[in-house]
Amino acid sequence: MRESPVSLTIDLFADGVQHGFFKLPISTDESAWGAVMTPISVIANGEGPTVLLTGGNHGDEYEGITALYKLAARLTPEDVQGRVIIVPTMNALAAKAGRRCSPLDGGNLNRSFPGSPTGGPTEQIADYFTRVLVPQCDYALDLHSGGRTLDILPFAAAHRLDYLEESLGVEQCRLQEAESLAGALAFGAPSAMMMFELDAEALYDTAVERQGKVFVTTELGGGGSTTPERQAIADRGVDNFLAFSGVLRARSRVDLEQDIERQRASQADAPLLIDMPDASCYVQSEHEGLLELRVALGEQVTAGQCVARVYPLGRAGQAAVEYRAARDGVLVARRFPAQVSLGDTLAVIAEVVDDLAREAS
Ligand SMILES: [Zn+2]
């Protein structure tokens, strides 16, 4: 396969702190010999694990983007044993435009993996992650939130890795899944989840998991902005994940686990554990119109309960269409804008469980 056309302005292997870019050549009406400039920081100090922290995979998900810009400005080589690679805006042009997808080619980066060195710009950036950045890391954390069209109960998540059993072997899959779940719990968001993806094939998540890496994803809010409370969850979560990976000199994984134990002991702070067993969690619209959500994020619902109504816009006196939960659970995500179209996800209802670990067989 062709080498990646991306080049770096910094040395990924040097100790110290470096802030620069990875550059993808592009040729547009505005810039004949131009480049997509994606900010990247490396903070490294001797032996230890490599942690890859990413945000802005979707450009309008600001909690993670903000947390990583803050971290890049504050982390010093003295804080670290090993290497921390930070990419606050994976899809840099989308982030600049305040959009989910790239304004250059319309590409949704998180539907473009593993990518291609000969594809469009978004696929070329995906390929650079898949073949250059991800292989270098031991732990990866990708920070998402709902963006402009969703609002999501803040959680960190891992995935069931049954799909990798054939390629990686059952033992590796179980270890990797357990370690990823431990990472999601260590992140310390108010909720932790085993996440079911509607279409996992072209996700960054899948590209990372296929390489045998410990991988945690998050959803930290949404609506295309941040709040102080949600930003604090993102900031604390990033620090916790670094401690979990063993890359911080001042705070070990043992320290972190003691913090988690203390948290569990005080029931008020224990995380809500949620599972998404299958696609019945998703309530999607078959109508267009005005949305009225009937339950709030975090609220319990029962199967058959009306969770949303959609009113026709432009004609009075019409009955609303009611959307009902297909399962018992808690509302973990909702559509954010009040207008809906056919196919929009209106609500996501996940199951509350006592334990997310796989039952011993
Ligand atoms: Zn996202």
Side-chain angles (χ1 to χ4, degrees), residues 340-360:
V340 295
S341 297
L342 285 171
D344 289 338
T345 289
L346 305 179
V348 181
I349 295 152
E351 192 179 343
V352 178
V353 294
D354 293 333
D355 192 356
L356 287 172
R358 193 177 282 270
E359 281 172 29

Side-chain angles (χ1 to χ4, degrees), residues 58 61 100 144-145 219:
H58 295 124
E61 300 176 356
R100 182 172 181 82
H144 288 257
S145 46
E219 298 290 353

